[in-house]
């Protein structure tokens, strides 16, 4: 299968002029280091500047910049930094608030160019700051702009949600491990251990020995403490299966009392996180209702609250993108190919972008293939007619999704299945 690479994939942004003071800052938790050059990359400062990550430190940087601009008669100022970790955000926002042009440099770019100035692999904060300034002076950067408040709030909430999802997965793995040791046959009765009847069982009868001597009616009566519809034909069948399976269990009974205490703590913590995630989703629904363009995105069947929130939190306002390719580059989903002489390398995605945005756009595409008739039809056509692999088809449709989202926002229209299929057929 052949792919087309995005136009202008390695463009340089030529905006540095002879009147620019170019500053690179190496970020750290407590102390930042700055170096200054002119538009040619020639160092202008006698010595690097070290300043604290405090208001006094920021003021010290401002005085140093003013002095350099006055000394070298440079009217324009551009400051570059790497967006690694979270240490850079406070300084970047402070500078933007002062009207300073702040730009960001890809860490991979600085890593590749570190040896260019002195042909030495040594590393230090002053050298790193100088390398960043040098990269900026040659135009390899992208602008930093603060997103509107709605999108900043979305990013904060989604970051919070990601933390609790990670904890939830960790706890679920721990509970599954507990069951594998103490009641390995449990999954044959409850394929989904998080369902209400299973949760009631784990609270009342966590181990096979707890089911010893229990009747079907006794198990159902215990379930009724936690759920309304515990009985019925399904309840009777599950209770009977559970009792029968427990009699033949080979689960470990060593230190069972302590193990059951551990399970109860795990279940309580898991339920607490479930409640937190439910509250976060309610907050997301409320916040998304305040963003006008969300109504357009919701017109795509299968693109739910979490996917929309994740895309907007990672990409920001979609109106700032002129084409879907820009959104793909933001997520690191643009294509990269390695070629040399007669060797033609494999084309892969670059993965140079926002990892969370990349993850959720991929998951959203998988969901659309399964739930949206248009995307399902396109996927089947790719696999059956064009003989693509399923994975190739998903990535092809991921690019389609990016173009659809940007196209809807730019035109102010909602999702139109007929137009989507027609445009896809023309592109093919």
């Amino acid at each position: 299968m052949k792919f087309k690479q995005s136009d202008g994939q390695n463009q340089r942004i030529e905006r540095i002029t002879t009147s620019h003071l170019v500053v690179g800052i190496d970020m750290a938790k407590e102390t930042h280091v700055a170096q200054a050059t002119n538009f040619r990359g020639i160092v202008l400062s006698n010595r690097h500047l070290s300043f604290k990550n405090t208001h006094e430190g920021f003021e010290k940087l401002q005085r140093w910049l003013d002095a350099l601009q006055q000394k070298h008669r440079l009217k324009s100022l551009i400051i570059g930094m790497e967006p690694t970790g979270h240490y850079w955000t406070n300084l970047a926002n402070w500078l933007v608030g002062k009207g300073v042009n702040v730009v960001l440099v890809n860490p991979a770019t600085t890593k590749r160019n570190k040896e260019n100035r002195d042909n030495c692999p040594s590393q230090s904060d002053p050298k790193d700051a100088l390398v960043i300034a040098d990269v900026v002076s040659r135009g390899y950067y992208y602008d930093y702009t603060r997103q509107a408040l709605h999108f900043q709030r979305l990013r904060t909430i989604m970051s919070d949600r990601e933390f609790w999802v990670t904890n939830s997965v960790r706890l679920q793995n721990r509970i599954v491990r507990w069951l594998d040791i103490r009641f390995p046959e449990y999954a044959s009765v409850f394929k989904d251990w998080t369902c209400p009847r299973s949760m009631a069982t784990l609270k009342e009868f966590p181990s096979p020995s707890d089911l010893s001597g229990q009747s079907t009616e006794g198990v159902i009566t215990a379930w009724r403490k936690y759920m309304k519809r515990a009985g019925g034909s399904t309840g009777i069948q599950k209770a009977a299966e559970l009792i029968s399976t427990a009699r033949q269990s080979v689960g470990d009974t060593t230190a069972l009392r302590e193990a059951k205490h551990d399970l109860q703590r795990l279940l309580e913590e898991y339920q607490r996180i479930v409640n937190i995630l439910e509250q976060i989703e309610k907050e997301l629904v409320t916040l998304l209702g305040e963003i006008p363009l969300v109504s357009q995105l919701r017109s795509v069947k299968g693109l739910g609250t979490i996917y929309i929130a994740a895309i907007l939190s990672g990409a920001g306002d979609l109106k700032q993108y002129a084409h879907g390719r820009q959104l793909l580059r933001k997520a690191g989903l643009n294509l990269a190919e390695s070629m040399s002489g007669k060797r033609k390398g494999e084309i892969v995605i670059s993965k140079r972008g926002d990892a969370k945005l990349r993850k959720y756009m991929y998951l959203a595409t998988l969901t659309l293939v399964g739930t949206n008739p248009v995307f399902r039809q396109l996927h089947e056509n790719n696999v059956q007619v064009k003989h693509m692999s399923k994975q190739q088809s998903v990535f092809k449709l991921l690019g389609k999704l990016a173009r659809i989202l940007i196209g809807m926002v730019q035109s102010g229209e909602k999702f139109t299945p007929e137009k989507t299929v027609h445009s896809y057929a023309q592109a093919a």
Side-chain angles (χ1 to χ4, degrees), residues 70-117:
Q70 186 175 2
K71 179 180 178 181
H72 297 280
R73 298 179 181 178
L74 298 172
K75 297 179 180 179
S76 302
L77 172 64
I78 185 169
I79 297 180
M81 55 187 73
E82 291 179 334
T84 51
H86 57 273
Y87 303 132
W88 64 278
T89 54
N90 290 337
L91 177 59
N93 291 333
W94 186 85
L95 290 168
V96 169
K98 295 284 186 180
V100 177
N101 185 16
V102 176
V103 297
L104 303 178
V105 175
N106 193 316
T109 303
T110 58
K111 182 178 180 180
R112 287 193 298 267
N113 286 275
K114 192 162 289 185
E115 297 182 28
N116 287 355
R117 293 190 68 91

Side-chain angles (χ1 to χ4, degrees), residues 7-54:
D7 298 331
Q9 190 159 315
N10 296 306
Q11 283 184 347
R12 289 177 57 183
I13 308 173
E14 301 289 353
R15 293 175 55 188
I16 307 298
T17 66
T18 57
S19 64
H20 265 96
L21 174 66
V22 183
V23 178
I25 301 179
D26 183 68
M27 312 304 295
K29 182 176 182 178
E30 296 180 354
T31 304
H32 308 316
V33 174
Q35 283 274 34
T37 71
N38 64 7
F39 76 105
R40 295 183 184 277
I42 299 173
V43 180
L44 299 180
S45 52
N46 295 327
R47 190 177 182 278
H48 66 269
L49 175 74
S50 296
F51 61 100
K52 296 291 185 182
N53 188 26
T54 61

